[in-house]
């Protein structure tokens, strides 16, 4: 593997990060029929870069940015045993660099950041049919936890129970 390093992202990285975000949207479109038409944006990356409750990181090969991810601290529901958790998003690795353990390096850096904040519950969401992503997350210790389901209804196809 090349000399891959993980560092905190800066505002100078924003153009590349915005391109990564669009690559994520494009890759996830086949998994979600409910996404609005382009252009869409999942994250306010510029705000996340300066938010004290988040950390945005990039993976670099020399000066080239080849991956990204961020963690954000969230309040947990009152019925859970933890008060806060870290939610990871924006996991992206350039196509030419996939399969080299970069995702694991990004997640490891974000896990260390979360632990330094006193947070040990970490979550992320992934589409059920995105098998490659699920395998990558399982490889670094994530386990399936809950399935979100949806039901699309319209006035012409609803059925009433009697």
């Amino acid at each position: 593997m090349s000399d891959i390093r993980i560092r905190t992202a800066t505002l100078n990285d924003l153009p590349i990060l915005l391109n990564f975000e669009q690559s994520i949207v494009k890759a996830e479109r086949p998994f979600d029929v409910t996404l609005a038409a382009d252009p869409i944006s999942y994250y306010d990356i510029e705000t996340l870069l300066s938010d004290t409750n988040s950390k945005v990181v990039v993976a670099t090969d020399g000066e080239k940015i080849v991956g990204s991810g961020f963690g954000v601290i969230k309040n947990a529901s009152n019925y859970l045993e933890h008060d806060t958790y870290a939610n990871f998003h924006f996991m992206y690795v350039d196509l030419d660099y996939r399969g080299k353990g970069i995702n694991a390096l990004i997640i490891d850096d974000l896990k260390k950041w979360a632990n330094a904040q006193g947070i040990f519950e970490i979550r992320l969401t992934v589409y059920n049919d995105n098998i490659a992503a699920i395998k990558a997350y399982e490889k670094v210790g994530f386990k399936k936890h809950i399935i979100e389901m949806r039901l699309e209804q319209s006035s012409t196809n609803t059925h009433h129970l009697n």
Side-chain angles (χ1 to χ4, degrees):
M1 178 166 60
S2 304
D3 189 25
I4 302 297
R5 302 218 184 268
I6 307 299
R7 67 165 171 80
T8 301
T10 68
L11 276 175
N12 292 334
D13 302 326
L14 190 57
I16 292 166
L17 296 175
L18 292 172
N19 284 334
F20 283 0
E21 180 184 31
Q22 290 311 301
S23 294
I24 293 170
V25 170
K26 182 179 179 183
E28 291 182 346
R29 263 197 192 287
F31 302 117
D32 192 341
V33 298
T34 68
L35 290 178
D38 282 327
I40 64 170
S41 179
Y42 288 158
Y43 317 110
D44 184 350
I45 299 168
E46 187 170 0
T47 298
L48 289 165
L49 288 167
S50 61
D51 185 348
T52 57
N53 284 323
S54 67
K55 182 178 183 183
V56 183
V57 298
V58 292
T60 61
D61 181 7
E63 295 298 312
K64 182 180 182 183
I65 296 174
V66 300
S68 65
F70 78 78
V72 62
I73 298 170
K74 298 205 168 227
N75 291 322
S77 297
N78 65 345
Y79 53 81
L80 295 174
E81 64 182 14
H82 50 276
D83 295 326
T84 57
Y85 65 98
N87 202 209
F88 290 1
H89 298 272
F90 196 43
M91 301 300 160
Y92 180 78
V93 176
D94 183 283
L95 290 171
D96 294 336
Y97 287 82
R98 292 188 184 166
K100 300 177 189 241
I102 296 171
N103 187 58
L105 293 173
I106 292 168
I107 289 174
D108 188 57
D109 188 85
L110 291 173
K111 282 174 20 184
K112 288 176 183 170
W113 164 78
N115 293 167
Q117 312 306 308
I119 297 172
F120 302 95
E121 177 73 20
I122 300 170
R123 299 193 176 202
L124 58 75
T125 57
V126 59
Y127 287 105
N128 188 58
D129 293 334
N130 192 345
I131 304 304
I134 291 169
K135 287 182 184 219
Y137 298 135
E138 287 176 336
K139 193 173 182 179
V140 296
F142 282 90
K143 293 182 168 96
K144 292 178 184 174
H145 176 64
I146 193 168
I147 296 173
E148 179 177 307
M149 300 177 74
R150 66 179 284 272
L151 172 65
E152 182 178 355
Q153 292 194 110
S154 70
S155 59
T156 60
N157 69 358
T158 57
H159 300 285
H160 300 282
L161 298 176
N162 293 342

